[in-house]
Amino acid sequence: MNKDLKVNEMYIKSKDIVSYLQPEIVTKIKNLELRAKAVVEGFMVGLHRSPYHGFSVEFSQHRPYMQGDSVRDIDWKVYAKSDKFYIKQYEEETNLICNIFLDVSNSMKFRHDAPVTKLDYAVTLASALSYIMINQKDAVALTIYSNKIHNYLSPKSNRMHLKKILLSLAGIETAGTTNTTECLSQVTEKIKKRGLTIVISDFFDDVENIAKAIKKIKLRKNEVILFHLLDPTEIDFDFDKDALFVDLETNEELSSQPYHIRKVYSESVAGFIDKLKNEMLNYGIEYNLIMTNENFEKALFSYFRKREKMF
């Protein structure tokens, strides 16, 4: 594929679309709505060749074709992607309210082995999820936070709201430290109806406090998905030369030879991940560890699987 990525904003060729699941490709698209569309359509096209073959993804504005339905109502674009017949449904009420929390603390700007920063990946994922849900006529709320709430958009399900979400995501810059607990707690008070909560973060925070905040959301009869984003280097610590390590949130510095601290570091990170995962599983929370060099298929499948279970 041409790395210059000369994208026609009105049309994306289906033969190329699966490559838009790759973060190094899709993040070259500056228009966030087009980027979100590319990721979602890439997921739909590539589903049949993925490990999730046979999994059914149905948008709420479609239903399977049944005998007696008019052929004129078949959505041929969906058929071209799925080899299945679906009927367009034109009048749907909002099915779901989803609250998306996006961490923009300074640690999210880290990138080493991956083609994009954690924030780039998070913005693309949040955009794609918002695009999916609003096109399903679901209502989406967005909270952008670090150690405080930087922006909050209340849940709505119309196209103008999607544009507001994408505009907010496009203008994001990292700032501050991470306080997932406090920011989740503030917004939890606004959650009045059963729905879905999605948190996208590197979760460099106190695990027990995060678990308490998530438990409050669960008590409001909300399902929760965590997307734990990490650069591969943050796990394998693949540094081979003397280095100065700087904490992006506190600016603390440590000069060291990586091989001296690799074992202790790796054990510490593995313990942190296991603790967060186990705490979430204890509360019935879906936990997803996502490396920022992975394509977006895993994350989108997790969303569709959760939504299918809810209805």
Side-chain angles (χ1 to χ4, degrees):
M1 172 178 282
N2 185 347
K3 291 185 179 180
D4 291 335
L5 228 78
K6 295 178 181 179
V7 179
N8 182 336
E9 296 198 4
M10 300 299 293
Y11 180 67
I12 301 172
K13 294 181 179 178
S14 61
K15 68 179 181 180
D16 296 331
I17 195 68
V18 178
S19 66
Y20 287 99
L21 287 168
Q22 301 169 1
E24 66 270 28
I25 299 296
V26 75
T27 52
K28 294 180 184 294
I29 304 174
K30 301 307 179 185
N31 182 301
L32 265 190
E33 184 168 4
L34 183 63
R35 186 192 302 182
K37 180 180 179 181
V39 171
V40 174
E41 292 193 359
F43 174 75
M44 300 295 287
V45 171
L47 195 62
H48 71 279
R49 54 180 93 164
S50 76
Y52 315 118
H53 180 63
F55 178 73
S56 174
V57 177
E58 299 173 18
F59 286 97
S60 62
Q61 69 263 35
H62 294 88
R63 64 169 174 78
Y65 174 83
M66 295 183 291
Q67 187 175 1
D69 287 329
S70 172
V71 176
R72 290 180 299 178
D73 291 332
I74 292 175
D75 191 325
W76 295 105
K77 289 183 180 180
V78 174
Y79 172 76
K81 298 168 188 175
S82 65
D83 291 328
K84 295 180 181 179
F85 293 110
Y86 288 95
I87 298 296
K88 293 180 182 179
Q89 292 180 293
Y90 298 99
E91 294 183 4
E92 289 280 347
E93 293 183 357
T94 296
N95 296 300
L96 179 72
I97 295 177
C98 179
N99 287 272
I100 297 177
F101 291 85
L102 179 61
D103 175 10
V104 298
S105 59
N106 279 324
S107 62
M108 292 290 286
K109 67 185 175 184
F110 180 75
R111 179 180 75 86
H112 186 263
D113 278 350
V116 298
T117 67
K118 289 182 284 187
L119 183 63
D120 289 336
Y121 196 102
V123 165
T124 302
L125 178 55
S127 300
L129 290 169
S130 300
Y131 180 91
I132 290 168
M133 285 183 273
I134 288 180
N135 277 285
Q136 287 180 299
K137 303 187 185 299
D138 294 332
V140 179
L142 175 67
T143 302
I144 296 171
Y145 76 95
S146 57
N147 56 341
K148 65 179 182 179
I149 294 174
H150 297 275
N151 194 10
Y152 171 76
L153 297 175
S154 58
K156 294 179 183 178
S157 59
N158 57 62
R159 294 287 302 175
M160 284 301 299
H161 186 60
L162 175 61
K163 291 186 181 298
K164 288 181 180 180
I165 288 174
L166 297 175
L167 184 63
S168 296
L169 292 172
I172 283 179
E173 293 184 3
T174 59
T177 57
T178 310
N179 194 335
T180 301
T181 306
E182 177 62 27
C183 294
L184 259 64
S185 297
Q186 288 182 40
V187 178
T188 297
E189 300 303 316
K190 302 176 186 290
I191 299 175
K192 305 298 182 183
K193 295 181 180 180
R194 175 180 177 270
L196 176 65
T197 294
I198 296 173
V199 188
I200 306 172
S201 173
D202 56 16
F203 294 106
F204 289 155
D205 203 346
D206 184 271
V207 172
E208 292 181 358
N209 286 337
I210 293 172
K212 289 177 183 177
I214 296 294
K215 184 178 180 181
K216 290 180 182 178
I217 295 173
K218 283 286 288 184
L219 289 174
R220 291 177 176 263
K221 299 182 179 180
N222 267 246
E223 293 297 321
V224 185
I225 303 175
L226 261 61
F227 291 115
H228 187 186
L229 303 188
L230 292 176
D231 185 284
T233 307
E234 292 178 308
I235 291 184
D236 59 34
F237 204 68
D238 189 22
F239 298 98
D240 55 9
K241 297 180 180 179
D242 292 3
L244 176 66
F245 299 99
V246 180
D247 187 314
L248 293 175
E249 296 195 358
T250 66
N251 290 321
E252 292 182 43
E253 297 181 355
L254 172 66
S255 180
S256 179
Q257 296 175 318
Y259 71 88
H260 280 161
I261 61 176
R262 182 174 288 115
K263 184 175 185 296
V264 173
Y265 173 88
S266 297
E267 290 174 351
S268 177
V269 169
F272 163 69
I273 291 172
D274 286 345
K275 184 176 182 180
L276 178 60
K277 180 179 180 179
N278 291 332
E279 286 283 0
M280 294 304 105
L281 292 177
N282 286 340
Y283 290 125
I285 306 300
E286 183 157 340
Y287 169 87
N288 298 274
L289 177 61
I290 306 286
M291 298 293 100
T292 50
N293 61 350
E294 295 180 320
N295 73 35
F296 292 93
E297 181 182 61
K298 178 180 178 181
L300 293 183
F301 177 74
S302 175
Y303 161 74
F304 277 111
R305 181 177 57 193
K306 173 64 73 176
R307 196 181 190 286
E308 186 178 53
K309 290 178 180 178
M310 292 178 67
F311 290 92

